[in-house]
Amino acid sequence: MPMEILRTGEASGADLLLVVEPLKRRAPCPRLLPARKEEVNALLQLLLAAPECLPVSKVASNIGFAARSLRYWFPELCRQITAKYREAEKTRITVHRAEQCRRVVEIVQQLLEAGEYPSRRRVNAFLRMEHMSLAQPHLLDAYLGATTKGA
C-alpha cells in the first residue's frame, strides 16, 4: 500500500516512514562466538605480555581476523598493543639513528686520519655505499658536529 501512495504522489509523512523501514527485521548475528572470544582474548593478553611487538594488523592476520574486527571486539587490548608497538618503534628508530650518526663520525675520523678533508661529497660517497645520505637532518647534524670537533 505505501508504494501505491508514492506512485500517485499523495503521501503524508507517516506513509513515507513506512516505506523507509527495512523490509526484514533480522536478529543480530554475532560474528564471534563466546568461546572463540575468550580464546582470542587470552591470546591477545599473551601477546601484550610478550617482549616482541607486532602491529594490530599483523596480529589480526596471524589469528585469522581483520584488524577492524579485533578493534571492534577488543578495543582496549588493541589500544594497548598499538601503544606498545609505537613505543617499540620509537625506540628502534632512536637506536638506528644513533648507529647511523656513529657511522658518520667514524667516516669523518677515517678521512681525517688519512689526511683528506672530510668534505660533504666524500662523506656522502661513503654513506651512499651504506644506503645513507647527508640529506637526512640527523646525519647532517652529526657530520657538522664531527667536522667542528675534528678541525
Side-chain angles (χ1 to χ4, degrees), residues 16-56:
L16 290 176
L17 287 178
L18 290 175
V19 173
V20 175
E21 286 184 24
L23 298 176
K24 262 188 190 176
R25 294 187 186 245
R26 294 185 180 178
C29 179
R31 299 280 183 203
L32 195 57
L33 298 174
R36 178 74 171 141
K37 188 173 182 179
E38 290 174 14
E39 178 186 331
V40 172
N41 189 9
L43 186 60
L44 291 177
Q45 294 285 351
L46 284 174
L47 285 172
L48 193 57
E52 307 88 37
C53 299
L54 291 174
V56 173

Side-chain angles (χ1 to χ4, degrees), residues 33-139:
L33 298 174
R36 178 74 171 141
K37 188 173 182 179
E38 290 174 14
E39 178 186 331
V40 172
N41 189 9
L43 186 60
L44 291 177
Q45 294 285 351
L46 284 174
L47 285 172
L48 193 57
E52 307 88 37
C53 299
L54 291 174
V56 173
S57 57
K58 293 251 188 211
V59 170
S61 64
N62 290 344
I63 296 175
F65 284 90
R68 190 75 208 133
S69 298
L70 275 187
R71 286 190 178 103
Y72 175 80
W73 289 105
F74 309 99
E76 189 56 37
L77 283 173
C78 287
R79 274 189 222 105
Q80 292 173 2
I81 290 171
T82 300
K84 182 179 175 183
Y85 177 72
R86 284 182 181 162
E87 190 62 34
E89 277 297 297
K90 284 180 186 177
T91 305
R92 186 190 66 78
I93 288 170
T94 303
V95 168
H96 183 65
R97 284 185 177 180
E99 289 174 5
Q100 286 181 330
C101 291
R102 182 190 51 78
R103 183 63 184 133
V104 168
V105 171
E106 284 178 6
I107 290 171
V108 169
Q109 288 173 350
Q110 287 173 356
L111 288 172
L112 287 173
E113 289 171 2
E116 296 180 30
Y117 178 74
S119 67
R120 288 186 186 194
R121 280 188 187 208
R122 284 191 184 121
V123 173
N124 245 346
F126 282 102
L127 289 176
R128 276 195 301 270
M129 289 186 266
E130 300 176 20
H131 306 287
M132 293 186 278
S133 171
L134 289 178
Q136 296 174 331
H138 65 282
L139 296 181

